[in-house]
Amino acid sequence: MNLKIMGGEGSAMAATASLKNNQSMLTKRADKSVLKGSYAHAQIKEFPKATESQIIAIREKIQLENKLLRRKQIFVFVVLIIVILIGYSVYN
């Protein structure tokens, strides 16, 4: 008896089984992700309002921090470029 079976049938069956398993896992996960409860009784916190001078002070503080951070980044970049150029010139 000489049966000719096409190759790849086992992998096709495995792919079908994998797809079915993935679909069943998605339906199980979707059930858990539903919000249980309500936010109807949640209390909203009241925060104090910032004055114009406080906002300006915060803005200046953030701008100073960003300026210092930018200087550090530029310094590190320049040092790395110098080290790379020295390393390249030494090994060539």
Side-chain angles (χ1 to χ4, degrees), residues 14-29:
T16 304
S18 177
L19 288 172
K20 287 180 182 177
N21 289 337
N22 289 344
Q23 185 64 35
S24 69
M25 287 169 40
L26 280 175
T27 57
K28 289 177 187 175
R29 187 173 61 195

Side-chain angles (χ1 to χ4, degrees), residues 33-51:
S33 68
V34 175
L35 286 177
K36 296 178 181 167
S38 170
Y39 290 103
H41 301 291
Q43 296 178 354
I44 298 176
K45 302 269 182 183
E46 291 292 327
F47 293 102
K49 301 292 181 190
T51 63

Side-chain angles (χ1 to χ4, degrees), residues 58-72:
I58 292 170
R59 182 181 301 130
E60 289 174 352
K61 179 182 174 187
I62 291 173
Q63 288 175 347
L64 179 64
E65 289 173 357
N66 288 339
K67 187 176 182 180
L68 293 174
L69 179 63
R70 201 173 317 116
R71 283 184 184 171
K72 288 178 186 177

